[in-house]
Amino acid sequence: MNPVLEIKNLSIDLHADRKKFNVINNVNLTINKKQKYGIVGESGSGKSLTSLSIMNLLPAPLNIREGKILFEESKDLTKLPNKEMLKVRGNDISMIFQEPMTALDPLYPIEHQIMEVLRFHGTYSRKQMKELAIEMLEKVGISRPKQLMAEYPHQLSGGMRQRIMIAIALICNPKLLIADEPTTALDVTIQAQILDLMSDLTENYDTSILMITHDLGVIAETCERVAVMYSGEIVEETTVENLFSNPTHPYTIGLLESVKSLGDRTRDLYSIPGTVPTPKQLTGGCRFASRCPYATAICREQAPPLFSVGTDHQSRCWLYGKEEVING
Ligand code: SF4
Ligand code: MG
């Protein structure tokens, strides 16, 4: 297996009131070439911060305390000078967000925005850029690409805008596409179309995906492997198949319960009681303890490491404490 991206022991702190608060704790994950990898968690779980740190886009009060982010086994993105990182962004790794309206510039027609990426990363003539742009718009399912090139973002629907974002993200044939809640703002039928489109295109381009979502349904549809994040930590990591057939962490089990109750009208809607603790509220011990129905004394005193709970399956919970420790 050739990894395209490896996150090693990544910890990020928030600097506020002259103190440091931990927001990402010792995250490890590996995305292989052509793999579709998902990170799932509620808001405040640190999933978006993890993706921003890959792109070197962490806002100022946040600082990487420790760790490496290796691109293609050699380039440590946390140490890359800004100039080098500009070449990586949009070319080797690109990103699409929840709300394409904020990523597209309202002042320019689509033609300008899609060609800008090619202008920045390539040495094409204007004619070549135009041809490539039209070809890419066709690939994302836009039927009259020439006409659309002259339009402005506000003239288009949310689904169309997200198709254009996908075109812009894939036009330089990146090795990795990071998609942060790419379909959350769209209605359900459009959501499914966009997820299919992303899956098909990345397969054709041999692009790996890092899918960031709060929605286990999106993970089931698009991913092969998954990390469940809670309060800045990976609490369970395995194949998507294992996660759904044999969830082990009490938080994952709670998330799956809430999805099941959504689909079953005879049951009350279930959601895990309580909220994700803020970085300032962390007290040591298991970060899920205040919401966990299985919590015991050790849970409140000592933070659990990741335990191996089966083939290719890890869980951060003292319930599995007798198994072998994978890492802290
Ligand atoms: Fe619950 Fe304890 Fe496991 Fe944390 S370590 S998830 S509190 S049982
Ligand atoms: Mg987010």
Side-chain angles (χ1 to χ4, degrees), residues 249-251 286-289 292-296 299 304 316-319:
H249 196 279
Y251 176 63
C286 173
R287 295 183 180 195
F288 189 57
C292 181
Y294 308 101
T296 57
C299 305
R316 188 180 295 281
C317 173
W318 286 120
L319 292 174

Side-chain angles (χ1 to χ4, degrees), residues 240-307:
V240 168
E241 214 181 322
N242 277 344
L243 192 86
F244 284 88
S245 64
N246 183 26
T248 60
H249 196 279
Y251 176 63
T252 313
I253 294 169
L255 276 184
L256 282 164
E257 273 302 307
S258 34
V259 176
K260 272 189 223 149
S261 72
L262 263 180
D264 181 352
R265 294 212 176 146
T266 61
R267 289 171 51 178
D268 285 339
L269 192 61
Y270 175 80
S271 70
I272 305 167
T275 50
V276 185
T278 66
K280 292 182 186 177
Q281 289 168 335
L282 293 176
T283 53
C286 173
R287 295 183 180 195
F288 189 57
S290 64
R291 303 170 78 184
C292 181
Y294 308 101
T296 57
I298 187 177
C299 305
R300 291 187 195 90
E301 283 151 21
Q302 275 182 57
L306 276 172
F307 294 104

Side-chain angles (χ1 to χ4, degrees), residues 136-174:
M136 196 65 224
L137 289 173
E138 278 166 354
K139 283 189 184 146
V140 298
I142 286 166
S143 51
R144 288 170 299 150
K146 278 188 192 149
Q147 189 179 328
L148 182 123
M149 294 261 273
E151 289 178 10
Y152 287 80
H154 73 270
Q155 294 176 281
L156 308 168
S157 68
M160 280 296 247
R161 287 199 288 263
Q162 202 54 295
R163 282 177 196 270
I164 289 158
M165 284 314 299
I166 294 172
I168 292 172
L170 293 180
I171 199 161
C172 289
N173 198 0

Side-chain angles (χ1 to χ4, degrees), residues 6 85 133 147 159 267 308 312:
E6 294 160 280
M85 196 63 212
Q147 189 179 328
R267 289 171 51 178
S308 169
D312 222 8

